[in-house]
Amino acid sequence: MDSIISKLEEKINSGELITYAEALEISKTEDLEGLIKAADRIRDKFNGKVVDICSIMNAKSGKCTEDCKYCAQSAHYKTNVQEYGLVDTKEAVELARENEREGVNRFSLVTSGRALTGEEFKKAVKIYSTLRDEVKMDLCASLGIINKEQLEELKAVGITMYHHNLETSRDYYKDICTTHSYEERIDTIKAAKEAGLRVCSGGIIGMGETMEDRIKMAMDLQKLQVYSIPVNVLNPVKGTPLENAQSLTDEEILRTIAVFRFINPKSQIRLAGGRSLIAKDGKDCLRAGANATISGNYLTTVGNKIVDDIKMIKDVGMEVV
């Protein structure tokens, strides 16, 4: 095993966090198998062999004013994505109940747009109030760049975690989105924490960023003490500026997952969008430090069947939370 791997694993096991320079060094190791096995041991030490399964509902689709270059829902691009306003309560409850029956333990509404405001936000609060009474799953929300008062209102009706991705590094962010800033995303995360919510925040890999960019994002997530870190693999959407982005290799994805585990030893590292692009639907990622996944369909792409994900988790010797 590469000596830097064992050195940093020992450092993490003693309760310390690694630095940016150390993370960059370990990301370059030629001993990928050693890196993966060490990340698995770190996950096991700090989180055990349990996997958190969440599902999401595309609760408002299309017509987004923002110009994120990866997104099918942006009004700046012609992607032929389905467009509709905020779903009704009955539809949300039915999907949540279905996911609960299949073994999912966390459910979230995800809405397009810069932020959910006004009457739509009030409607979302009412939906969550009903969900709190109708299902026993943990409830999450992903409603854009909202303020502390709104976040406190969500917490009051049962939300336990707020999702808001950084997407990429601060340095690379301007190449991905120009209609809102990286700092606005940071501010939303801080507001969610101040409101007493756990935070789910990660990003997308495969958008042309470097490993250095990924590490910088992971270090920011470390500083923010983010509870859950979704790692999406870009699924290029025709009509977006990134439609011809080059696909990442499985080795690059596994290396990234493992490095994220070294940087954030206690966080949930969550497999998210783009899993169908990874061999065996990301099964090897569960051996490389990942311990959470989004299951079922995603926002604008088809996801994995929940029953298949549960079987996959058991096949690698892990259990569902």
Side-chain angles (χ1 to χ4, degrees), residues 77-241:
Y77 318 124
K78 294 181 180 179
T79 63
N80 297 316
V81 71
Q82 187 178 7
E83 297 178 353
Y84 52 83
L86 191 63
V87 298
D88 61 33
T89 301
K90 180 181 178 182
E91 189 176 354
V93 171
E94 286 178 352
L95 181 59
R97 283 175 174 166
E98 177 185 328
N99 283 299
E100 184 179 34
R101 286 193 299 269
E102 293 190 26
V104 171
N105 50 283
R106 193 179 298 277
F107 180 77
S108 178
L109 302 182
V110 181
T111 58
S112 66
R114 177 185 176 88
L116 205 65
T117 58
E119 291 302 314
E120 283 192 319
F121 180 78
K122 292 179 182 178
K123 181 179 177 181
V125 170
K126 290 180 180 178
I127 292 173
Y128 275 116
S129 180
T130 303
L131 286 170
R132 176 191 60 193
D133 297 334
E134 296 291 333
V135 299
K136 293 182 173 62
M137 292 186 290
D138 284 336
L139 298 176
C140 306
S142 183
L143 311 179
I145 302 172
I146 59 177
N147 59 42
K148 183 180 176 183
E149 289 72 24
Q150 289 174 294
L151 290 158
E152 288 173 338
E153 194 169 351
L154 290 173
K155 185 175 187 296
V157 293
I159 302 299
T160 60
M161 186 154 62
Y162 194 73
H163 168 263
H164 196 66
N165 279 345
L166 290 182
E167 304 302 7
T168 189
S169 72
R170 184 186 298 273
D171 294 339
Y172 194 60
Y173 192 82
K174 62 183 180 298
D175 294 308
I176 296 300
C177 179
T178 66
T179 48
H180 60 269
S181 69
Y182 188 83
E183 198 59 42
E184 285 177 284
R185 290 185 174 268
I186 294 282
D187 289 345
T188 302
I189 290 169
K190 288 180 177 179
K193 291 176 71 71
E194 289 172 4
L197 297 169
R198 286 177 169 176
V199 170
C200 178
S201 179
I204 306 171
I205 62 174
M207 298 191 294
E209 79 290 340
T210 63
M211 178 61 81
E212 287 86 347
D213 286 311
R214 296 174 205 155
I215 291 172
K216 287 176 181 178
M217 179 181 72
M219 295 301 298
D220 278 344
L221 296 169
Q222 181 198 89
K223 292 173 187 175
L224 291 163
Q225 298 181 319
V226 166
Y227 178 79
S228 170
I229 301 175
V231 179
N232 298 270
V233 179
L234 180 70
N235 193 345
V237 176
K238 187 176 181 180
T240 65

